[in-house]
Amino acid sequence: MTQKSLTSRIQKFFEPSLPVVACEINRRAIAIVRLDSRNPALVERFAVMPLPEGLVSPSLIRPNIASVPDFVAELKSAFARAEVKTARISLALPDASAKVSLHPLDTLPGNENEKQQLLRWKLKKTVPFNIDEAHVTSLDHKFPNGKHLVLTVCIHREVLAQYEEVFQKLGIHAGYICLSSFATFELLSKLEPDLGQRSVLLLRVRSSGVSSLIAQEGRLVLFRQSGIEEEAATMAGTLGLPDLFDEIHPCVTYYQDKLSSQPLDKIYVACAQDPPAALLSSLSERFRSPVVNLDPLRFFQSPNAAALRNLKNMLMPSLGLAAGRF
């Protein structure tokens, strides 16, 4: 596959073009960025607004926002802090608010309705709610042998509608909505233009859990989520070697057992704080693949350089979505 990597294929989840303003919502904060419309590397405005504990609780089966009025007030404050006014926005949601699945299929119906019926039938066995109440998006990769690998993102309609509602109350249309890990992969594609020609692992570490994504020559072949125990949550973002090793190891094992006997070309780690260089070096030796920190400052800059340096890791999904329009 050419440079039309997973990122360009995931664009099919979106509308034709992205606005320069993007927002990520997670259980701890709202992160907003606006890029210069003529220079995608220039971050004009940005802000991270911490959220009260319990206001956002990602879930597959129930609305994620405990109080819409309270959240709208926080969202309004976040836009004010960022000094951003917009009628359109791209939005990244918590990974835990939707179910991501991969379906290897020998054949796939050409008719869109029949394809939806097949995928919903498969998802019916795995989602913890009525599949008729779900919004399902799919992305198909067809192999030269005629077989298919279909990615589905399944989210409860009430969960999606609530996130859309809070922006509508501010007169903002959230026209582009995806999961935070996919948005972070958009960022990675800006940093690594030849991503579609390599096999890579992206590991996102947050206070609530870890998401792992493997892309092989432009197609998603693994998506994995794991939680972090409550007593260990304060360590998230600064995980030590045993923790990161335990998260990376099953992904690498799956890749080498099922997909390739060769090591991954590179492993990217996205944490709340930059991991120590010695930790990355040790992991590189153990996995026989370069393990590197995902650093947005390799591409982005801002007149407020010090603030961007402090907030860069929390802004990664928003930066990736905003940059995706270019």
Side-chain angles (χ1 to χ4, degrees):
M1 183 176 287
T2 64
Q3 190 171 316
K4 290 186 177 179
S5 64
L6 174 67
T7 299
S8 61
R9 294 176 62 79
I10 283 177
Q11 293 289 343
K12 293 182 181 180
F13 283 108
F14 307 143
E15 295 174 3
S17 63
L18 298 171
V20 293
V21 182
C23 173
E24 186 215 4
I25 298 171
N26 59 58
R27 70 171 68 234
R28 291 184 177 270
I30 299 168
I32 297 173
V33 301
R34 187 180 76 193
L35 304 184
D36 186 302
S37 60
R38 294 162 296 183
N39 180 4
L42 181 61
V43 186
E44 285 188 337
R45 298 280 189 272
F46 58 92
V48 174
M49 173 67 69
L51 292 174
E53 185 72 27
L55 184 55
V56 173
S57 299
S59 169
L60 291 175
I61 60 175
R62 64 180 64 89
N64 293 185
I65 299 171
S67 168
V68 168
D70 289 350
F71 186 86
V72 170
E74 296 289 345
L75 187 61
K76 186 176 181 179
S77 296
F79 277 103
R81 177 179 292 188
E83 299 181 335
V84 168
K85 294 182 179 180
T86 184
R88 296 174 61 242
I89 199 166
S90 301
L91 176 61
L93 302 182
D95 290 349
S97 66
K99 180 172 179 58
V100 177
S101 305
L102 286 162
H103 310 273
L105 300 170
D106 290 335
T107 60
L108 192 65
N111 180 280
E112 185 61 31
N113 288 335
E114 293 178 357
K115 182 169 71 173
Q116 276 283 320
Q117 290 176 13
L118 173 63
L119 295 174
R120 285 176 176 271
W121 177 77
K122 285 186 167 294
L123 288 167
K124 183 178 181 179
K125 306 174 184 179
T126 63
V127 296
F129 53 83
N130 189 335
I131 193 62
D132 293 333
E133 299 173 352
H135 176 82
V136 179
T137 305
S138 64
L139 180 64
D140 171 37
H141 175 82
K142 188 175 182 179
F143 294 96
N145 63 5
K147 295 186 178 183
H148 299 259
L149 182 64
V150 182
L151 166 71
T152 57
V153 180
C154 179
I155 185 169
H156 197 291
R157 286 198 180 103
E158 289 187 3
V159 173
L160 181 61
Q162 189 187 48
Y163 280 115
E164 292 175 325
E165 177 191 2
V166 293
F167 285 91
Q168 290 168 355
K169 288 184 177 296
L170 295 181
I172 301 172
H173 174 58
Y176 306 95
I177 302 176
C178 73
L179 299 183
S180 290
S181 285
F182 291 159
T184 305
F185 197 87
E186 291 276 359
L187 169 65
L188 179 55
S189 74
K190 286 295 179 184
L191 303 181
E192 305 288 354
D194 64 342
L195 209 58
Q197 302 168 15
R198 298 186 287 124
S199 296
V200 301
L201 165 64
L202 171 63
L203 190 80
R204 291 188 62 237
V205 181
R206 304 165 314 289
S207 61
S208 56
V210 179
S211 294
S212 309
L213 182 160
I214 293 181
Q216 184 181 39
E217 296 181 351
R219 64 183 181 273
L220 183 69
V221 294
L222 173 72
F223 188 86
R224 177 178 181 266
Q225 293 186 62
S226 59
I228 294 178
E229 296 297 330
E230 191 66 30
E231 60 268 21
T234 56
M235 293 297 293
T238 56
L239 293 180
L241 175 59
D243 306 281
L244 281 182
F245 177 87
D246 289 345
E247 294 297 336
I248 296 173
H249 183 261
C251 300
V252 172
T253 300
Y254 173 85
Y255 176 80
Q256 293 184 332
D257 285 350
K258 303 291 185 180
L259 301 170
S260 174
S261 59
Q262 299 300 314
L264 287 158
D265 292 314
K266 193 169 285 190
I267 298 171
Y268 298 89
V269 178
C271 300
Q273 300 180 27
D274 293 344
L279 170 61
L280 298 178
S281 177
S282 176
L283 289 169
S284 298
E285 292 180 6
R286 299 183 72 171
F287 289 111
R288 296 187 297 120
S289 298
V291 181
V292 299
N293 180 47
L294 183 59
D295 185 0
L297 296 187
R298 286 178 48 203
F299 181 81
F300 294 100
Q301 57 184 317
S302 170
N304 194 347
L308 182 61
R309 189 178 305 111
N310 290 334
L311 298 175
K312 61 174 185 172
N313 293 345
M314 289 179 279
L315 292 171
M316 278 195 266
S318 301
L319 289 168
L321 273 187
R325 70 154 286 164
F326 294 93

